[in-house]
Amino acid sequence: MTWGEYQALVQLSAGMNMAILSFVDISLPAIKERRRVFEKAQQELERHKKTTRHNDADAQDAHNRSISEMDQKMYLLWKEAAAFSSEEDSLLKSTGVMGVTGSVVSLVLLWYSAQHYNDPISLLGKILIGLSFGSLLGAFIINFMTASQAGMLTRKCNDIRSEMHDLL
């Protein structure tokens, strides 16, 4: 096998690795939605805390317990989301690092394959081509997992909001 025979593969790898930074667009909408829904749920809970008053002491006491229960659920969700939020930032930075690394490796391989078109390709060359595609796969998986986790937290928050609407 020569570099020339692998050049189309290297070109594909270079092009895809240049586009890797757009993978952030996979998880960013889910992250923004999670934050928006959580903020809205907190506002609704605050509104229920301030505005709902009952004439009957037992009804007011039951209402206060319900608010306290919802507040506790929101707090636990907030703790879970806060832990994930720092992971989120780290994962998005990892995507950037993978994108830049994969792009540099791919561009160097593309240049090298043009310079050594008829030379046989070494095992190291094949490994580097695999690495450049691996960075693409890694970035996609990281962003897909981030979007999935953000979606799960959004669903939990929406469940709490729904329960809040039913209970309060």
Side-chain angles (χ1 to χ4, degrees), residues 37-49 52 63 66-74 77 156-168:
V37 166
F38 190 78
E39 186 177 307
K40 192 168 185 169
Q42 287 178 314
Q43 289 171 352
E44 289 173 5
L45 184 60
E46 286 302 315
R47 196 169 43 245
H48 281 293
K49 284 180 183 179
T52 308
H63 178 77
S66 296
I67 285 181
S68 179
E69 180 185 333
M70 291 296 113
D71 204 20
Q72 179 67 22
K73 287 181 179 185
M74 287 296 295
L77 183 62
K156 282 183 177 180
C157 190
N158 279 329
D159 290 345
I160 291 172
R161 283 180 66 203
S162 178
E163 186 178 347
M164 193 184 319
H165 288 257
D166 294 342
L167 199 61
L168 304 175

Side-chain angles (χ1 to χ4, degrees), residues 130-145:
L131 178 66
S132 69
F133 275 104
S135 68
L136 179 70
L137 181 63
F140 177 77
I141 290 171
I142 285 173
N143 276 283
F144 184 76
M145 288 174 24

